[in-house]
Amino acid sequence: MGATIERISEFMAKLGESLAGIQGIGYWLFLAGFTILVLVVAVLFLRILIVAIREIPNMTVKQFIKFMLALSIVLMAVAIFL
């Protein structure tokens, strides 16, 4: 687990160094594109979560346990990147 966090940290540092060299319109275009990408992913995740929550009353116990495990894994992955 520690090696994964180190690799992510190295990647983020290299990305930050690369972005530091960008100037002018390129920086703003990258920032706009990245923001749109993050918003699309967040909306898709939220939509999937809402659909899954609506299905909870119709789930069997096995399906509910699978849902909770999947949700916990996704939340842990998101927490690593934050």
Side-chain angles (χ1 to χ4, degrees):
M1 184 78 164
T4 304
I5 294 173
E6 288 177 18
R7 287 183 183 169
I8 293 171
S9 297
E10 290 174 13
F11 172 75
M12 295 301 285
K14 288 180 182 177
L15 182 64
E17 291 172 9
S18 297
L19 291 177
I22 298 175
Q23 295 179 358
I25 192 77
Y27 172 77
W28 294 108
L29 289 174
F30 175 81
L31 190 61
F34 188 74
T35 303
I36 290 170
L37 182 65
V38 168
L39 287 174
V40 167
V41 169
V43 167
L44 286 174
F45 176 73
L46 185 62
R47 186 174 188 279
I48 291 170
L49 185 63
I50 289 171
V51 168
I53 289 173
R54 285 184 179 169
E55 289 296 321
I56 287 176
N58 301 328
M59 289 182 184
T60 64
V61 173
K62 188 174 181 178
Q63 290 172 331
F64 180 73
I65 290 172
K66 286 181 182 179
F67 169 70
M68 294 307 288
L69 285 173
L71 182 62
S72 64
I73 290 170
V74 168
L75 291 175
M76 286 188 292
V78 168
I80 287 174
F81 290 109
L82 295 179

